Amino acid sequence: MTRSAIYLDHNASAPLLPQARAAMVAALDLSGNPSSVHGHGRALRNVIETARGQVAKLAEAERGQVVFTGSATEAITQAIIGGAKAFGVDALAVSAGEHMAVLKAAEATGLPVTTVGLDGDGSIRVEDIAAAVAKADGAGLRLLVCVHLVNNETGVIQPVDRVEMLVGPTPHHLFVDAVQGFGKLALEFSSRASDMMAVSAHKIGGPAGVGALLLKGHADAARLIPGGGQEQGRRGGTESAAAIAGFGAAAEVLPGQFYEANVSELIRTAEEGMRAMAPDLVVFGEKSDRIGNVSNFAVPGLKNSVAMMGLDLLGLSVSSGSACSSGKVGPSHVLAAMGVKPELAECAMRLSLGWSSTADDVEGFLKGFGEVVGRHRSRHGRAA
Ligand code: PLP
């Protein structure tokens, strides 16, 4: 396997922050069960509660609103399957741009699901949510509305405030997948009208295999794993103190404004550099408000399967933004929902940067991009 020299795929998983690693190693040296009342147990409990405070602070949530889970996928599944049951909703309204974790959990409820569209710039059509709410009101039905804060493929920041204004004052409920916004945007969970939000550790420099569900008190009954009553009965199973410690440490060190200050500039440089070499470059969601760390782009005619292989051979790890768990590159349901033609969507690639990214990384990427585009142009006889 080629060892990639430059990592440009933070949205898939960010490298582990050294502070998170140190916190995990320290926790791994402790023995016991955090639910035990003896000294060993209390030491581990202390690790978990410190991390809960750190995650709560970054999410602007109360400590008691943070439930640690085994991943964001689990948190999402708990919110949707557990929430639908706890709230007694009759149907769901789910945006077409959701991560598969949301789409599959919605399907697994067995309830009717209304799909809410995206516009051509990648934003959730709030008017579709208004229509779904009005229809449910007319039929006397209760909805669970599921949206996301930032799109993992395009980086488009979604109009969650407007969705909250619409859903908040009604008897309907709202879940927000905040995975790609956590640590980059202010979450303000406790002052928001959302009932539930999901976040993940490995997108912010913590370890994979731990996430959190943020729950308002009235949503506490949204449960999936009853088990031994851990997490105040909201998620059974002995907590992975080391993973949670790493999550907390990452939340502690990640400065919220980091992305705007540094990474956005790197993304701008990358897009300008690519456009200078490929003037026909398409940047998806370019007209929308985008998070600063992502660029989802296409060079028309240059298939992502070919380009990514070329970049990989040069030691550059980028993504198509839509890799399935098998590792194969599949068509993007997000770009399809934006109305992007399949032949252009086949050319989409995603650059996602984060805490470890440097100007040298972008320079290295642009060099590789130039080589891959140059090779494609010479093979297909088109001028750049
Ligand atoms: N939601 C979004 C928007 C994501 O980008 C991801 C990960 O790619 C997830 C959910 C799932 O997170 P986890 O890997 O922690 O289960």
Side-chain angles (χ1 to χ4, degrees):
M1 193 186 80
T2 309
R3 194 173 155 73
S4 290
I6 302 183
Y7 188 73
L8 304 154
D9 201 9
H10 277 245
N11 274 21
S13 197
L16 192 66
L17 279 158
Q19 294 90 335
R21 189 176 191 284
M24 292 176 74
V25 169
L28 283 170
D29 280 336
L30 301 174
S31 4
N33 185 317
S35 295
S36 299
V37 292
H38 52 57
H40 284 82
R42 288 201 308 276
L44 277 163
R45 171 61 45 208
N46 196 30
V47 167
I48 292 171
E49 294 316 314
T50 300
R52 197 184 310 282
Q54 290 163 321
V55 170
K57 189 169 170 217
L58 189 62
E60 296 162 277
E62 291 162 24
R63 299 165 62 95
Q65 293 174 330
V66 177
V67 176
F68 287 117
T69 60
S71 61
T73 298
E74 184 192 312
I76 288 166
T77 308
Q78 179 169 349
I80 296 178
I81 298 183
K85 195 166 164 216
F87 295 135
V89 302
D90 307 287
L92 290 89
V94 179
S95 108
E98 296 306 306
H99 190 271
M100 276 302 165
V102 174
L103 298 176
K104 292 286 179 188
E107 194 184 308
T109 61
L111 295 170
V113 177
T114 299
T115 303
V116 173
L118 300 183
D119 67 20
D121 295 316
S123 281
I124 293 170
R125 290 186 188 277
V126 180
E127 63 276 17
D128 280 11
I129 296 180
V133 165
K135 196 169 162 208
D137 286 343
L141 301 177
R142 185 115 35 113
L143 285 180
L144 175 61
V145 177
C146 303
V147 295
H148 58 290
L149 184 56
V150 173
N151 191 271
N152 58 308
E153 293 189 24
T154 60
V156 171
I157 300 171
Q158 299 296 347
V160 170
D161 291 350
R162 286 174 56 211
V163 176
E164 284 182 333
M165 277 194 282
L166 192 70
V167 179
T170 69
H172 307 291
H173 294 279
L174 180 59
F175 163 69
V176 180
D177 172 357
V179 166
Q180 297 289 356
F182 186 49
K184 303 169 191 168
L185 297 175
L187 239 55
E188 299 174 323
F189 179 69
S190 40
S191 55
R192 281 186 173 275
S194 300
D195 299 287
M196 306 174 283
M197 279 189 174
V199 296
S200 182
H202 73 116
K203 310 293 184 180
I204 65 163
V210 60
L213 177 57
L214 309 177
L215 283 174
K216 296 280 165 60
H218 67 270
D220 265 355
R223 292 175 193 187
L224 196 63
I225 307 174
Q230 289 89 348
E231 294 295 292
Q232 298 190 328
R234 295 171 296 179
R235 195 271 187 180
T238 302
E239 300 93 333
S240 172
I244 291 172
F247 190 6
E252 177 78 32
V253 297
L254 198 82
Q257 298 309 310
F258 175 78
Y259 286 83
E260 289 317 310
N262 301 320
V263 180
S264 306
E265 192 52 45
L266 296 180
I267 285 288
R268 256 194 302 277
T269 305
E271 288 183 351
E272 281 166 18
M274 286 192 285
R275 205 155 254 152
M277 290 182 262
D280 54 348
L281 187 88
V282 176
V283 176
F284 301 107
E286 194 170 18
K287 289 198 214 117
S288 292
D289 196 10
R290 279 184 300 153
I291 196 89
N293 78 309
V294 184
S295 181
N296 191 328
F297 58 89
V299 178
L302 173 56
K303 285 195 178 159
N304 54 22
S305 50
V306 174
M308 280 169 54
M309 211 185 295
L311 291 169
D312 188 36
L313 287 171
L314 296 169
L316 296 159
S317 292
V318 302
S319 153
S320 73
S322 60
C324 3
S325 51
S326 62
K328 286 191 196 127
V329 174
S332 160
H333 68 280
V334 175
L335 296 182
M338 289 165 67
V340 175
K341 295 219 162 66
E343 57 273 23
L344 184 58
E346 275 186 352
C347 303
M349 282 180 278
R350 181 188 69 186
L351 202 61
S352 59
L353 309 182
W355 70 265
S356 66
S357 304
T358 63
D360 285 350
D361 290 349
V362 172
E363 201 183 311
F365 165 73
L366 286 173
K367 202 159 162 269
F369 175 84
E371 271 185 48
V372 168
V373 170
R375 221 176 297 144
H376 170 73
R377 300 282 198 229
S378 61
R379 233 181 255 144
H380 293 82
R382 287 171 58 189

